[in-house]
Amino acid sequence: MKIRYGVACFIVALCGVQPVFAQDLADTVITRLGQVQARHNAFHETRNLAALKTPLESSGTLIYRHPGFLQKTTEQPRAEDLVINGDIVTISRNHGAPQSVDTAKVPALRLLADTLRAPLDGNAALLRQYYTMKATEQGADWTIYLTPVSEKIEKFAKSVTITGRNNAILSLVLVQPNGDTQTLTIAP
């Protein structure tokens, strides 16, 4: 058995062909994520901004329903609701009147909404409109690296790194062009 495997690996290497399981790991992981129809998880977010000496921290809950509904309810340090439903993003702070924005009118907001929802929706094609995707996997743990495909996208995001286990995202790190970072850690 070991000899057959060794011969197969040699032939694959000789022909320059990668084994099927390694060809599209990012798509495989995204597909697994999209198979979960609903999620409800606690989150902790840290924003490191060059303009501030200390990071901004917040926590609350994330609710996702397939397809395309994401609600981020911040409980600490102040109440805030962010709802992405279709092309509309609605924000309400301190239980005030909600304000809605159509993401078609704000490209940066559209990119953020799609970056958050596309993995949960299992929509690798949408992510590829913005990023090149590369993935690594070790056991049940995986990491997806997203790099902007154009200068237009680079104006809003330098890189995005998503880590997880099995079919759950555990963290998302967004690095902006100015070096500011936003790290969203999600409880399993």
Side-chain angles (χ1 to χ4, degrees):
M1 185 68 163
K2 286 183 182 181
I3 293 173
R4 284 187 202 159
Y5 180 75
V7 170
C9 287
F10 176 74
I11 292 170
V12 166
L14 187 63
C15 296
V17 178
Q18 292 184 354
V20 172
F21 63 85
Q23 284 181 355
D24 231 348
L25 179 57
D27 283 342
T28 301
V29 171
I30 298 294
T31 299
R32 282 194 316 237
L33 291 171
Q35 292 172 347
V36 178
Q37 297 297 302
R39 300 174 188 269
H40 188 269
N41 305 86
F43 77 86
H44 180 86
E45 184 174 48
T46 303
R47 293 183 184 190
N48 291 297
L49 309 176
L52 301 176
K53 292 182 180 182
T54 58
L56 299 174
E57 300 203 25
S58 60
S59 61
T61 57
L62 290 172
I63 298 171
Y64 168 78
R65 286 191 303 270
H66 189 77
F69 176 87
L70 182 64
Q71 179 175 345
K72 179 182 168 199
T73 301
T74 302
E75 297 155 1
Q76 298 294 324
R78 64 185 174 119
E80 178 180 280
D81 279 325
L82 171 84
V83 176
I84 304 170
N85 194 5
D87 292 337
I88 304 298
V89 174
T90 303
I91 300 173
S92 159
R93 292 189 171 108
N94 293 320
H95 309 292
Q99 298 178 341
S100 296
V101 178
D102 185 341
T103 61
K105 297 178 182 176
V106 185
L109 189 57
R110 176 61 163 246
L111 174 66
L112 179 62
D114 288 346
T115 300
L116 294 172
R117 284 187 312 179
L120 296 170
D121 283 344
N123 194 342
L126 180 58
L127 284 174
R128 288 191 194 285
Q129 290 179 18
Y130 301 114
Y131 306 104
T132 57
M133 295 193 302
K134 182 176 79 171
T136 60
E137 188 173 45
Q138 186 171 5
D141 297 330
W142 50 264
T143 302
I144 298 175
Y145 303 93
L146 304 176
T147 306
V149 295
S150 69
E151 289 181 14
K152 181 180 174 183
I153 303 303
E154 286 177 351
K155 291 179 183 178
F156 305 114
K158 183 177 178 183
S159 68
V160 178
T161 305
I162 306 170
T163 61
R165 180 172 298 123
N166 295 323
N167 63 359
I169 295 174
L170 299 178
S171 73
L172 184 142
V173 179
L174 169 67
V175 179
Q176 296 176 342
N178 65 358
D180 290 351
T181 60
Q182 180 177 350
T183 302
L184 186 65
T185 304
I186 304 167

